[in-house]
Amino acid sequence: MSTTTKRAYNFNAGPSALPLSALQTAQSELLDFQGAGMSILEMSHRGKEYEAVHNQAIALLRELLGIPDDYEVLFLQGGASLQFAMIPMNFLPAGRKAGYVITGVWSEKAIAEAKKLGDTYEVASTKAGNHSSIPAPAELKVEADTAYIHITSNNTIFGTQWRDFPDTGSVPLIADMSSDILSRPFDVGKFSLIYAGAQKNLGPAGVTVVIVKKSFLATANPNIPTMLRYGTFAKENSLYNTPPTFGIYLMGLVLAWIKEQGALAAITRRNEEKAALIYDAIDASKGFYVGHAVPAARSRMNITFRLKSEELEKKFLAEAKQAGFVGLAGHRSVGGCRASAYNAVPVEACQALRDLMVKFQSENG
Ligand SMILES: Cc1ncc(COP(=O)(O)O)c(C=O)c1O
């Protein structure tokens, strides 16, 4: 692939844009990985070449997120959706309750799975406002005997994001960070468990990253099937069975790219700049574009907005498609428009979207 390859303005919500340099490295190594005469896809997960790739991905994640030594970093399969069930299986014992902060479709799905396995309750919900906000700390109602509190750090569908994470004291905090992990620095030490499907900021679909505090892991229920126990993966460095080797390899390349960019400090600045381009176009449009999220809860990853009518939205999306933009339709459950500006989406793509929005308004306003 030459550097002049024409790339779409990719605003897909996930799977989504990957850094060009990571794709190019994968391409160049596809037939012959580091002189082995075969690709990483064809190698044993027990061999030294793959082991180095695996451990390098873990080391980079630890470095970029500042993960303390008393946490395990695991690579699982089953997507973030399997975590919705694994978390209560492992950490919700009889006689205790799991508290869920409901901020959108994904937290609804998470609590629905937990309900099948034990007692749950809503710590807070933004449903009444159609999930356009994030609850204030005072709105969190934590009950006695809470085994853990679950939040979704970024709501991919509604386009809201926690700015500051809540302080839950001695109650373990768990976060689904599928759609904003590695987009900004945060204190891992606040959480007992963090999970994320890879297919937004980390790499291709097929790998789920779990970061779990060792002392929390020690409290997990041992009487569940082997493949559903976090302990199985922790004990074997996520090599209990065959891991998704190619996905982990590509994730390692994405992590190396993040480091090269200047790690999370630089990535955050870029993400802020990118999101501001689009939010500024919304705010300057005087109601032609209406953002879904209240300003204080705006996601820097998924920017959701509507136009005056569905007809106008269709026209906007058709013109965007014509101009080389991909993935701008809102999630099928909410409609409207959504620009997912994950880490690998370049600033130029956001500038181009801003320009398109301004032009479309001037022609249709
Ligand atoms: C916040 C969040 N959680 C969970 C999921 C589900 O992920 P998966 O498809 O990996 O199960 C998604 C998918 O978009 C998501 O955005």
Side-chain angles (χ1 to χ4, degrees):
M1 196 191 294
S2 82
T3 46
T4 53
T5 301
K6 184 161 169 27
R7 303 270 294 160
Y9 292 132
N10 184 352
F11 287 95
N12 277 330
S16 45
L18 288 167
L20 182 58
S21 68
L23 294 174
Q24 285 170 327
T25 303
Q27 186 188 42
S28 75
E29 293 181 336
L30 193 61
L31 300 186
D32 182 9
F33 178 75
Q34 298 179 1
M38 65 181 98
S39 84
I40 191 94
L41 284 159
E42 302 165 286
M43 281 180 193
S44 168
H45 61 292
R46 307 274 175 215
K48 66 176 181 355
E49 290 94 343
Y50 176 72
E51 199 184 4
V53 165
H54 188 91
N55 290 337
Q56 173 69 0
I58 295 172
L60 278 169
L61 258 178
R62 284 196 177 277
E63 180 183 336
L64 290 167
L65 285 174
I67 301 173
D69 289 344
D70 59 335
Y71 284 72
E72 300 280 2
V73 175
L74 311 178
F75 298 143
L76 310 187
Q77 300 191 57
S81 298
L82 183 59
Q83 296 307 302
F84 298 163
M86 266 178 84
I87 288 164
M89 277 181 187
N90 281 267
F91 298 115
L92 179 52
R96 304 193 72 197
K97 294 178 268 188
Y100 282 74
V101 182
I102 306 300
T103 50
V105 170
W106 297 112
S107 34
E108 300 265 15
K109 290 200 168 176
I111 196 174
E113 285 296 282
K115 263 185 197 152
K116 294 175 189 161
L117 294 154
D119 284 344
T120 62
Y121 68 96
E122 294 186 2
V123 177
S125 172
T126 53
K127 193 172 181 151
N130 197 20
H131 301 305
S132 59
S133 64
I134 290 293
E139 290 172 295
L140 305 186
K141 302 280 178 266
V142 180
E143 298 182 8
D145 291 327
T146 297
Y148 62 81
I149 291 174
H150 178 283
I151 65 168
T152 312
S153 60
N154 182 74
N155 300 292
T156 325
I157 293 176
F158 290 94
T160 59
Q161 186 174 26
W162 290 77
R163 285 270 174 284
D164 302 305
F165 294 116
D167 184 356
T168 55
S170 61
V171 182
L173 180 60
I174 293 182
D176 174 358
M177 295 200 180
S178 293
S179 53
D180 70 349
I181 193 161
L182 281 166
S183 68
R184 55 176 171 171
F186 67 93
D187 179 7
V188 172
K190 271 197 148 181
F191 297 87
S192 291
L193 189 148
I194 292 163
Y195 64 98
Q199 65 270 22
K200 296 154 200 312
N201 271 340
L202 291 170
V207 192
T208 309
V209 168
V210 171
I211 301 163
V212 57
K213 194 169 187 166
K214 289 178 185 171
S215 56
F216 186 57
L217 183 58
T219 68
N221 179 1
N223 299 317
I224 50 178
T226 310
M227 285 297 287
L228 299 172
R229 293 178 53 211
Y230 293 105
T232 301
F233 295 86
K235 196 160 156 246
E236 306 283 347
N237 192 29
S238 302
L239 287 161
Y240 169 75
N241 71 329
T242 317
T245 54
F246 192 69
I248 293 168
Y249 158 75
L250 207 45
M251 183 166 77
L253 297 179
V254 172
L255 297 172
W257 172 82
I258 293 177
K259 190 172 168 181
E260 258 168 51
Q261 300 300 298
L264 294 195
I267 288 281
T268 311
R269 272 197 304 278
R270 225 170 62 116
N271 285 337
E272 282 171 4
E273 182 193 345
K274 280 156 44 185
L277 283 164
I278 304 165
Y279 283 123
D280 287 353
I282 293 172
D283 293 340
S285 76
K286 303 211 161 44
F288 183 81
Y289 301 104
V290 180
H292 177 74
V294 300
R298 283 174 164 178
S299 167
R300 298 207 173 99
M301 296 282 97
N302 310 97
I303 300 152
T304 48
F305 57 96
R306 303 215 68 136
L307 281 80
K308 279 198 194 84
S309 64
E310 282 187 18
E311 201 189 344
L312 206 54
E313 281 168 359
K314 272 199 193 125
K315 190 171 179 210
F316 174 73
L317 291 170
E319 286 192 21
K321 191 173 173 195
Q322 197 65 33
F325 291 83
V326 175
L328 287 175
H331 188 268
R332 59 191 184 281
S333 62
V334 295
C337 303
R338 169 176 57 173
S340 297
Y342 298 122
N343 286 351
V345 173
V347 176
E348 301 75 56
C350 296
Q351 279 162 344
L353 176 56
R354 187 263 324 265
D355 293 348
L356 176 84
M357 289 170 74
V358 170
K359 179 169 167 282
F360 186 81
Q361 183 178 0
S362 72
E363 291 166 358
N364 296 275

Coordinates of all heavy atoms in Angstrom, one line a residue, residues 212-252:
V212 N -8.0 -6.0 35.4 CA -8.7 -6.4 36.7 C -7.7 -6.3 37.8 O -6.6 -6.8 37.7 CB -9.4 -7.7 36.6 CG1 -8.5 -8.9 36.2 CG2 -10.2 -8.1 37.8
K213 N -8.2 -5.8 38.9 CA -7.4 -5.6 40.1 C -7.2 -7.0 40.8 O -8.2 -7.8 40.9 CB -8.1 -4.7 41.1 CG -7.2 -4.2 42.2 CD -7.8 -3.1 43.0 CE -6.9 -2.6 44.0 NZ -7.2 -1.3 44.5
K214 N -6.0 -7.4 41.1 CA -5.8 -8.8 41.6 C -6.6 -9.1 42.8 O -7.1 -10.2 43.0 CB -4.3 -9.0 41.9 CG -3.4 -9.0 40.6 CD -2.0 -9.2 40.9 CE -1.2 -9.1 39.6 NZ 0.3 -9.1 39.8
S215 N -6.7 -8.1 43.8 CA -7.4 -8.4 45.0 C -8.9 -8.6 44.7 O -9.6 -9.3 45.4 CB -7.2 -7.2 46.0 OG -7.6 -6.0 45.4
F216 N -9.4 -7.9 43.7 CA -10.8 -8.1 43.3 C -11.0 -9.5 42.7 O -11.9 -10.2 43.0 CB -11.2 -7.0 42.3 CG -12.7 -7.0 42.0 CD1 -13.7 -6.9 42.9 CD2 -13.1 -7.0 40.6 CE1 -15.1 -6.9 42.6 CE2 -14.4 -7.0 40.3 CZ -15.4 -6.9 41.2
L217 N -10.1 -9.8 41.8 CA -10.1 -11.1 41.1 C -10.1 -12.3 42.1 O -10.8 -13.3 41.9 CB -8.8 -11.2 40.2 CG -8.7 -12.5 39.3 CD1 -9.9 -12.6 38.4 CD2 -7.4 -12.4 38.5
A218 N -9.4 -12.1 43.2 CA -9.3 -13.1 44.3 C -10.7 -13.4 44.9 O -10.9 -14.4 45.5 CB -8.3 -12.7 45.4
T219 N -11.7 -12.5 44.7 CA -13.0 -12.7 45.3 C -14.0 -13.4 44.3 O -15.1 -13.6 44.6 CB -13.6 -11.3 45.7 OG1 -13.9 -10.6 44.5 CG2 -12.8 -10.5 46.6
A220 N -13.5 -13.7 43.1 CA -14.4 -14.2 42.1 C -14.9 -15.6 42.4 O -14.2 -16.4 43.1 CB -13.6 -14.3 40.7
N221 N -16.1 -15.9 41.9 CA -16.7 -17.3 42.1 C -15.9 -18.3 41.3 O -15.7 -18.2 40.1 CB -18.1 -17.2 41.6 CG -18.8 -18.5 41.7 OD1 -18.3 -19.5 42.2 ND2 -20.1 -18.5 41.3
P222 N -15.3 -19.3 42.0 CA -14.5 -20.3 41.3 C -15.4 -21.4 40.6 O -14.9 -22.2 39.8 CB -13.6 -20.9 42.4 CG -14.4 -20.7 43.6 CD -15.3 -19.5 43.5
N223 N -16.7 -21.4 41.0 CA -17.5 -22.6 40.5 C -18.3 -22.2 39.3 O -19.5 -22.4 39.2 CB -18.5 -23.0 41.7 CG -17.7 -23.4 42.9 OD1 -16.7 -24.2 42.7 ND2 -18.1 -22.9 44.0
I224 N -17.6 -21.8 38.3 CA -18.2 -21.5 37.0 C -17.3 -22.1 35.9 O -16.2 -22.4 36.2 CB -18.5 -20.0 36.7 CG1 -17.2 -19.2 37.0 CG2 -19.6 -19.5 37.5 CD1 -17.4 -17.7 36.8
P225 N -17.9 -22.3 34.7 CA -17.1 -23.0 33.7 C -15.7 -22.3 33.4 O -15.6 -21.0 33.5 CB -18.0 -22.9 32.4 CG -19.4 -22.9 33.0 CD -19.3 -22.0 34.2
T226 N -14.8 -23.1 33.1 CA -13.4 -22.6 33.0 C -13.2 -21.4 32.1 O -12.5 -20.4 32.5 CB -12.5 -23.8 32.4 OG1 -12.8 -25.0 33.2 CG2 -11.0 -23.5 32.4
M227 N -13.9 -21.4 30.9 CA -13.7 -20.4 30.0 C -14.4 -19.1 30.4 O -14.2 -18.0 29.7 CB -14.1 -20.8 28.6 CG -13.2 -21.7 27.9 SD -11.6 -21.0 27.6 CE -12.0 -19.9 26.2
L228 N -15.2 -19.1 31.4 CA -15.9 -17.9 31.9 C -15.3 -17.3 33.1 O -15.8 -16.4 33.7 CB -17.4 -18.3 32.1 CG -18.1 -18.8 30.8 CD1 -19.5 -19.3 31.1 CD2 -18.2 -17.6 29.7
R229 N -14.2 -17.9 33.6 CA -13.6 -17.4 34.8 C -12.4 -16.5 34.4 O -11.5 -17.0 33.6 CB -13.0 -18.6 35.6 CG -14.1 -19.5 36.2 CD -13.5 -20.6 37.0 NE -12.5 -20.1 37.9 CZ -11.4 -20.8 38.3 NH1 -11.1 -22.0 37.8 NH2 -10.5 -20.2 39.2
Y230 N -12.4 -15.3 34.9 CA -11.2 -14.5 34.6 C -9.9 -15.1 35.1 O -8.9 -15.0 34.5 CB -11.4 -13.1 35.3 CG -12.5 -12.3 34.8 CD1 -13.7 -12.2 35.5 CD2 -12.4 -11.7 33.6 CE1 -14.8 -11.4 35.0 CE2 -13.4 -10.9 33.0 CZ -14.6 -10.8 33.7 OH -15.7 -10.1 33.2
G231 N -10.0 -15.9 36.2 CA -8.8 -16.5 36.8 C -8.1 -17.4 35.9 O -6.9 -17.5 35.9
T232 N -8.9 -18.1 35.0 CA -8.3 -19.0 34.0 C -7.3 -18.3 33.2 O -6.2 -18.7 32.9 CB -9.4 -19.6 33.2 OG1 -10.3 -20.3 34.0 CG2 -8.9 -20.5 32.1
F233 N -7.7 -17.1 32.7 CA -6.9 -16.3 31.8 C -5.7 -15.6 32.6 O -4.6 -15.5 32.0 CB -7.8 -15.3 31.1 CG -8.8 -15.9 30.2 CD1 -10.0 -16.3 30.7 CD2 -8.5 -16.2 28.9 CE1 -10.9 -17.0 29.9 CE2 -9.4 -16.9 28.0 CZ -10.6 -17.2 28.5
A234 N -6.0 -15.2 33.8 CA -5.0 -14.5 34.6 C -3.8 -15.5 34.9 O -2.6 -15.2 34.8 CB -5.5 -14.0 35.9
K235 N -4.2 -16.7 35.2 CA -3.2 -17.8 35.6 C -2.3 -18.1 34.4 O -1.1 -18.4 34.6 CB -4.0 -19.0 36.0 CG -3.1 -20.0 36.8 CD -4.0 -20.9 37.6 CE -3.2 -22.2 37.9 NZ -3.8 -23.4 37.2
E236 N -2.8 -18.0 33.2 CA -2.1 -18.5 32.0 C -1.6 -17.4 31.1 O -1.4 -17.6 29.9 CB -2.9 -19.5 31.2 CG -3.5 -20.7 32.0 CD -2.5 -21.7 32.3 OE1 -1.4 -21.7 31.7 OE2 -2.7 -22.6 33.1
N237 N -1.6 -16.1 31.6 CA -1.2 -15.0 30.8 C -2.0 -14.9 29.5 O -1.5 -14.6 28.4 CB 0.3 -15.1 30.4 CG 0.9 -13.8 29.8 OD1 0.4 -12.7 30.1 ND2 1.9 -14.0 28.9
S238 N -3.3 -15.2 29.6 CA -4.3 -15.2 28.5 C -3.9 -16.2 27.4 O -4.3 -16.0 26.2 CB -4.5 -13.8 27.9 OG -4.9 -12.9 28.8
L239 N -3.2 -17.3 27.8 CA -2.8 -18.3 26.8 C -3.3 -19.7 27.3 O -2.7 -20.7 27.0 CB -1.3 -18.3 26.6 CG -0.7 -17.2 25.8 CD1 0.8 -17.0 26.1 CD2 -1.0 -17.3 24.4
Y240 N -4.4 -19.6 28.0 CA -5.0 -20.9 28.4 C -5.4 -21.7 27.2 O -5.1 -22.9 27.1 CB -6.3 -20.7 29.3 CG -7.1 -21.9 29.6 CD1 -6.6 -22.9 30.5 CD2 -8.3 -22.2 28.9 CE1 -7.3 -24.1 30.7 CE2 -9.0 -23.3 29.1 CZ -8.5 -24.3 30.0 OH -9.2 -25.4 30.1
N241 N -6.1 -21.1 26.3 CA -6.4 -21.7 25.0 C -5.9 -20.8 23.9 O -5.1 -19.8 24.2 CB -7.9 -22.0 24.8 CG -8.7 -20.7 24.6 OD1 -8.3 -19.7 25.1 ND2 -9.8 -20.8 23.9
T242 N -6.2 -21.0 22.6 CA -5.7 -20.2 21.5 C -6.3 -18.8 21.6 O -7.5 -18.7 21.4 CB -6.0 -20.9 20.2 OG1 -5.8 -22.3 20.3 CG2 -5.2 -20.3 19.1
P243 N -5.5 -17.8 21.8 CA -6.0 -16.4 21.8 C -6.2 -15.9 20.3 O -5.7 -16.6 19.4 CB -5.0 -15.6 22.5 CG -3.7 -16.4 22.2 CD -4.0 -17.8 22.0
P244 N -6.9 -14.8 20.2 CA -7.1 -14.3 18.8 C -5.8 -13.6 18.4 O -5.6 -12.4 18.6 CB -8.2 -13.3 19.0 CG -8.2 -12.9 20.4 CD -7.7 -14.1 21.2
T245 N -4.9 -14.4 17.9 CA -3.5 -14.0 17.7 C -3.3 -12.8 16.8 O -2.6 -11.9 17.0 CB -2.6 -15.1 17.2 OG1 -3.2 -15.7 16.0 CG2 -2.5 -16.2 18.3
F246 N -4.0 -12.8 15.6 CA -3.9 -11.7 14.7 C -4.4 -10.4 15.3 O -3.8 -9.4 15.1 CB -4.6 -12.1 13.4 CG -4.2 -11.1 12.3 CD1 -2.9 -11.1 11.7 CD2 -5.1 -10.2 11.8 CE1 -2.5 -10.2 10.7 CE2 -4.7 -9.3 10.8 CZ -3.4 -9.3 10.3
G247 N -5.5 -10.5 16.0 CA -6.1 -9.3 16.6 C -5.2 -8.7 17.6 O -5.0 -7.5 17.7
I248 N -4.5 -9.6 18.4 CA -3.6 -9.1 19.4 C -2.4 -8.5 18.8 O -1.9 -7.4 19.2 CB -3.3 -10.2 20.4 CG1 -4.5 -10.6 21.2 CG2 -2.1 -9.8 21.3 CD1 -4.4 -11.9 22.0
Y249 N -1.9 -9.1 17.7 CA -0.8 -8.6 16.9 C -1.1 -7.2 16.4 O -0.3 -6.2 16.6 CB -0.5 -9.5 15.8 CG 0.3 -9.0 14.6 CD1 1.7 -8.7 14.7 CD2 -0.4 -8.7 13.4 CE1 2.3 -8.2 13.6 CE2 0.3 -8.2 12.3 CZ 1.7 -7.9 12.4 OH 2.3 -7.4 11.3
L250 N -2.3 -7.1 15.8 CA -2.6 -5.7 15.2 C -2.9 -4.7 16.3 O -2.5 -3.5 16.2 CB -3.9 -5.9 14.4 CG -4.1 -4.9 13.2 CD1 -2.8 -4.7 12.4 CD2 -5.2 -5.4 12.3
M251 N -3.4 -5.2 17.4 CA -3.6 -4.3 18.6 C -2.2 -3.7 19.0 O -2.0 -2.5 19.3 CB -4.3 -5.0 19.7 CG -4.5 -4.1 20.9 SD -5.7 -4.8 22.0 CE -4.6 -5.9 22.8
G252 N -1.2 -4.6 19.0 CA 0.2 -4.2 19.4 C 0.7 -3.1 18.5 O 1.3 -2.1 18.9

